Amino acid sequence: MRTIVVYSSRTGNTKKVGEAIAAALPEGTPAIPVQQVPADLPDYACVFLGFWVDRGQADKDAADLLPKLRNKHVALFATLGADPHSPHAAESLMKAAELLPEGKKPAGQFICQGAVDPKVIEMMYKMFPKGHVHGQSAERDALHAEAAKHPDEADLTAAAAFAKKTMADISSRNATAFF
């Protein structure tokens, strides 16, 4: 099955995850930035699309591509500065899935933590006063310090496992479709 990994990455986090996914897929599976999407993208049977979470949703470049993905299978992956097990993370994936063409459901979804761009942290600390949920505090500084460690090897291993499981699930669904 012809497969491609497309990612949008601001700090390199989503690129690392996309490359780990591509490495787990059949040899030669390309991993490319969203800005370099090939003209033959509709010819791929499976697209893994990655994005960084921006204010609770897919970043603009990925969000612009999602409604155009009419490929047979689309899997989503993302990075965010927050806890990947949080309701915020789940909602971010759900909002991205809602941007797919009507009736299309993701073949799989994966999200992991990633470092927050220091410029974004600085901007937030200037924009929001101390005491605000996004304002500077010891707790907030600790959250950013933890996020700066990701994606780590465990995250990349989990991303590769996600890719393999997604492809196995697709193969299984395709096999049962014949019966």
Side-chain angles (χ1 to χ4, degrees):
M1 169 182 337
R2 194 163 178 224
T3 304
I4 189 170
V5 177
V6 178
Y7 59 84
S8 178
S9 191
R10 180 175 180 165
T11 60
N13 297 326
T14 313
K15 178 182 179 184
K16 286 179 193 174
V17 174
E19 289 172 346
I21 288 170
L25 296 172
E27 188 174 336
T29 298
I32 60 166
V34 70
Q35 298 85 355
Q36 296 175 13
V37 167
D40 68 343
L41 186 65
D43 297 338
Y44 285 85
C46 184
V47 175
F48 282 79
L49 178 68
F51 59 90
W52 53 278
V53 174
D54 184 20
R55 298 179 191 135
Q57 51 198 343
D59 69 273
K60 182 175 177 1
D61 288 339
D64 288 347
L65 182 58
L66 280 161
K68 300 172 187 170
L69 294 178
R70 300 196 183 285
N71 308 72
K72 185 169 184 178
H73 306 286
V74 177
L76 303 176
F77 65 97
T79 59
L80 79 164
D83 177 355
H85 305 290
S86 67
H88 174 66
E91 290 168 14
S92 299
L93 284 171
M94 183 183 70
K95 287 179 183 177
E98 289 171 353
L99 294 174
L100 288 168
E102 187 173 336
K104 182 156 285 300
K105 303 285 184 219
Q109 297 182 53
F110 174 82
I111 193 163
C112 73
Q113 197 165 29
V116 179
D117 184 340
K119 292 176 185 171
V120 171
I121 296 170
E122 182 181 333
M123 177 200 63
M124 286 176 20
Y125 285 177
K126 285 180 182 176
M127 188 184 307
F128 300 106
K130 289 186 180 200
H132 185 278
V133 68
H134 294 297
Q136 188 170 16
S137 67
E139 180 184 10
R140 200 82 189 145
D141 288 343
L143 290 172
H144 291 305
E146 178 58 31
K149 300 174 189 173
H150 296 272
D152 60 15
E153 283 306 313
D155 296 324
L156 300 179
T157 299
F162 153 74
K164 289 177 182 176
K165 182 182 183 319
T166 300
M167 293 306 286
D169 290 349
I170 289 170
S171 292
S172 175
R173 283 193 299 268
N174 288 344
T176 57
F178 294 112
F179 296 104

